[in-house]
Amino acid sequence: MLNTYFKDLTPTNKQFAIHRIASRNDATEEIVKKVLEHFNPLMDIQKNRVVVHRNAYNKLVKDIRREKVPLL
């Protein structure tokens, strides 16, 4: 059940979530950390997996891509 915001996770869980999301979306950990701190979605770590609601994850990926490719 999703009941914890990103900012309320422990430092080790934050780093784990940042690393997993960055490796899955081919982005740097700095960009993912910046987007996660700004967006602050509900998430949880269950059985070594990052659990995020589907719509929140889609918005997160969209924001990561927007940060990754600067506007001209």
Side-chain angles (χ1 to χ4, degrees):
M1 182 158 198
L2 301 176
N3 55 5
T4 308
Y5 288 101
F6 174 75
K7 290 184 180 177
D8 297 334
L9 291 174
T10 63
T12 55
N13 283 346
K14 281 183 184 180
Q15 188 59 34
F16 179 78
I18 290 169
H19 178 71
R20 291 294 294 241
I21 293 171
S23 64
R24 178 133 179 134
N25 291 299
D26 193 32
T28 62
E29 291 186 5
E30 293 82 23
I31 290 174
V32 174
K33 181 178 180 183
K34 179 181 175 184
V35 171
L36 280 172
E37 287 176 349
H38 182 303
F39 183 48
N40 196 24
L42 280 171
M43 62 175 22
D44 198 10
I45 307 295
Q46 296 176 355
K47 297 181 182 178
N48 289 331
R49 292 181 184 251
V50 179
V51 180
V52 183
H53 190 272
R54 182 185 323 170
N55 294 339
Y57 183 74
N58 288 337
K59 183 178 182 335
L60 188 68
V61 170
K62 183 178 169 183
D63 290 347
I64 289 170
R65 289 182 183 152
R66 187 177 297 141
E67 286 289 324
K68 202 163 108 173
V69 179
L71 298 174
L72 298 176

